[in-house]
Amino acid sequence: MESHDFVAYGLPLIEEDDIAGVLDSFRSGWLTRGPKTLEFEKTFASYVGAKHAVAVNSCTSGLHLTLSCLDLGPGDEVITTPLTFVATVNTIIHTGAKPVLVDIDPYTMNIDGRKIEEAITSHTKALVPVHIAGYPCDMDAVMDLAGRHRIKVIEDAAHAIYTQYQGRMVGSIGDATVFSFYATKNLVTGEGGMVTTNDDDLAERLRLWSSHGLSHGAWNRYTDQGSWFYEVLVPGYKYNMTDIQAALGLSQLKKLNKMQARREEIARYYNEAFAGCPAIELPIDSPDVRHAWHLYIVKLNLAEISVDRNAFIDRLKEKGVGSSVHFIPVHYHPYHRDYFAGASYPVTEEIFERIVSLPLYPKMSDEDVAKVIQAVMEILN
Ligand SMILES: *Cc1c(COP(=O)(O)O)cnc(C)c1O
């Protein structure tokens, strides 16, 4: 593996097998949803241990699709976290329901299971936990609360392909789970996503609404009238995945374990290098979960260093290392500042000032990793 002058913050791993899969789609003539999408859905469902998987063109559309299928509307409330990508919250707003944000746990940075119950009202219809960085939420607490209050759990698993919670795969736990295959995620299809569920009715609704509301049953019922006939049963969306994306998904899924092993290795190098450094709080890990290491987020102990987080990021860049921040709290964006006017989430706000995501992806060479470690140590000393 070569070393790079600038260690990019994130890069996908696209190899010859991925390219061959995509070329095969082109040669087959199937450009949109076809046999490879069906195969990717089947393979993915069995990978996470869910009964159904519905391939979509992004995690954002998957979230919107799933929330829409719960018949949410004005007057309903959906609980989620302020420390997430805005799509989690925007898709709730798209349904007409009101997002209700619950502050995070300072260690895991996931929604704080102990604070969810206070936010539940008679209007609460769903809960959207986000497994930040690939470390799972406390799903026992979440599922227990949801069961007692009869609310649905839709997991935002954009970071959590490969994640296990107490031996169970994320994707097989909540009422539905939505994954992202965006270019920066652990498995990439460029743009793309997947919804998994064990609920037969929900799966049927997801399929119906993901493709204009076209009744596939109609094709069987009216075959004698020719294949031009279709019926639209609901005013559905256009959210399907294409076979070109699915080809990439299939080749990426085949080597996911290999890619994850490299992520785990890099995370271990970082953990060992930064252990005992008082300026850095390491990302959480625990023996009863399997971390997907989508992100390696360190928390700076600002009292121990002479720079703030933004200056730390600038210094890293000067030293040839890209980094990022996950995330700008949702309620800090101009639109959401007005929407959530007056709201404050103290744990999220305090942590936001201290977090930096370091480069972590399978394509990184050992030299790249060493360069990141050296740059961080130089700045902190
Ligand atoms: C990336 C991401 C999304 C959106 O995924 P897309 O596939 O780009 O729509 C949603 N939630 C979180 C937490 C993300 O990181």
Side-chain angles (χ1 to χ4, degrees):
M1 274 186 277
E2 78 267 47
S3 113
H4 305 95
D5 282 348
F6 187 81
V7 183
Y9 162 68
L11 290 172
L13 184 69
I14 301 294
E15 298 174 312
E16 289 308 316
D17 55 332
D18 302 294
I19 294 166
V22 172
L23 286 180
D24 190 55
S25 273
F26 285 131
R27 293 200 179 98
S28 78
W30 275 101
L31 298 184
T32 184
R33 183 181 167 86
K36 287 200 192 238
T37 310
L38 296 177
E39 188 189 341
F40 186 37
E41 287 176 338
K42 266 181 76 177
T43 317
F44 196 90
S46 106
Y47 172 70
V48 300
K51 214 165 154 190
H52 307 278
V54 178
V56 287
N57 55 19
S58 74
C59 175
T60 304
S61 47
L63 286 166
H64 180 234
L65 175 68
T66 310
L67 292 165
S68 300
C69 287
L70 301 182
D71 286 328
L72 298 174
D76 295 330
E77 294 174 359
V78 178
I79 293 173
T80 190
T81 165
L83 196 72
T84 185
F85 184 57
V86 283
T88 320
V89 170
N90 288 349
T91 49
I92 297 169
I93 295 174
H94 295 160
T95 67
K98 184 177 130 196
V100 173
L101 307 183
V102 168
D103 210 351
I104 57 169
D105 174 286
Y107 300 103
T108 65
M109 298 193 286
N110 285 325
I111 192 166
D112 189 336
R114 294 158 303 185
K115 291 184 185 149
I116 296 173
E117 191 141 36
E118 304 159 23
I120 294 176
T121 71
S122 58
H123 302 292
T124 308
K125 293 284 160 60
L127 186 52
V128 184
V130 179
H131 308 293
I132 197 97
Y135 187 89
C137 293
D138 182 357
M139 290 309 290
D140 276 348
V142 165
M143 297 311 289
D144 172 63
L145 273 172
R148 281 194 281 116
H149 294 274
R150 293 169 195 275
I151 55 187
K152 296 286 186 191
V153 175
I154 312 301
E155 292 164 69
D156 179 336
H159 302 179
I161 187 170
Y162 188 79
T163 297
Q164 287 180 356
Y165 172 79
Q166 296 183 359
R168 300 166 67 193
M169 287 293 284
V170 163
S172 67
I173 304 172
D175 293 287
T177 307
V178 190
F179 296 88
S180 173
F181 311 133
Y182 181 68
T184 57
K185 301 286 158 67
N186 288 26
L187 181 154
V188 300
T189 63
E191 300 281 356
M194 191 74 83
V195 187
T196 62
T197 181
N198 290 322
D199 179 332
D200 298 341
D201 290 340
L202 178 60
E204 200 171 309
R205 283 165 68 79
L206 291 169
R207 289 187 198 288
L208 181 66
W209 282 88
S210 68
S211 180
H212 307 290
L214 293 184
S215 160
H216 294 288
W219 292 80
N220 302 329
R221 268 182 287 145
Y222 294 94
T223 42
D224 57 327
Q225 293 193 21
S227 60
W228 56 270
F229 190 84
Y230 56 84
E231 280 183 311
V232 174
L233 304 182
V234 296
Y237 307 108
K238 169 68 178 178
Y239 281 168
N240 62 276
M241 180 177 274
T242 72
D243 261 29
I244 302 167
Q245 294 165 312
L248 208 41
L250 282 164
S251 58
Q252 291 265 304
L253 194 53
K254 277 203 193 107
K255 59 183 166 197
L256 183 66
N257 284 343
K258 187 186 86 183
M259 294 196 290
Q260 288 297 141
R262 180 64 180 156
R263 283 181 184 273
E264 285 166 349
E265 188 174 47
I266 296 169
R268 212 162 43 237
Y269 289 151
Y270 283 158
N271 283 343
E272 283 162 12
F274 304 141
C277 174
I280 287 187
E281 206 178 303
L282 296 181
I284 189 161
D285 199 4
S286 148
D288 40 80
V289 314
R290 186 171 76 175
H291 200 318
W293 292 111
H294 171 55
L295 302 172
Y296 191 90
I297 304 179
V298 297
K299 299 185 193 109
L300 300 175
N301 288 326
L302 296 175
E304 300 283 337
I305 51 178
S306 56
V307 289
D308 66 8
R309 189 271 319 277
N310 295 358
F312 180 82
I313 286 177
D314 292 344
R315 297 282 300 279
L316 274 178
K317 198 171 169 193
E318 286 161 21
K319 290 177 181 293
V321 173
S323 61
S324 191
V325 175
H326 295 88
F327 289 95
I328 300 166
V330 170
H331 63 295
Y332 279 12
H333 293 292
Y335 174 80
H336 305 85
R337 199 158 56 215
D338 289 345
Y339 190 97
F340 296 104
S344 109
Y345 308 95
V347 181
T348 299
E349 290 163 14
E350 194 265 339
I351 278 186
F352 168 62
E353 303 297 333
R354 302 168 49 208
I355 47 178
V356 183
S357 305
L358 298 178
L360 173 60
Y361 46 96
K363 207 178 175 178
M364 284 179 87
S365 64
D366 287 350
E367 290 74 21
D368 291 337
V369 177
K371 184 168 174 172
V372 175
I373 292 170
Q374 192 185 347
V376 168
M377 291 321 238
E378 281 172 11
I379 299 167
L380 296 182
N381 289 328

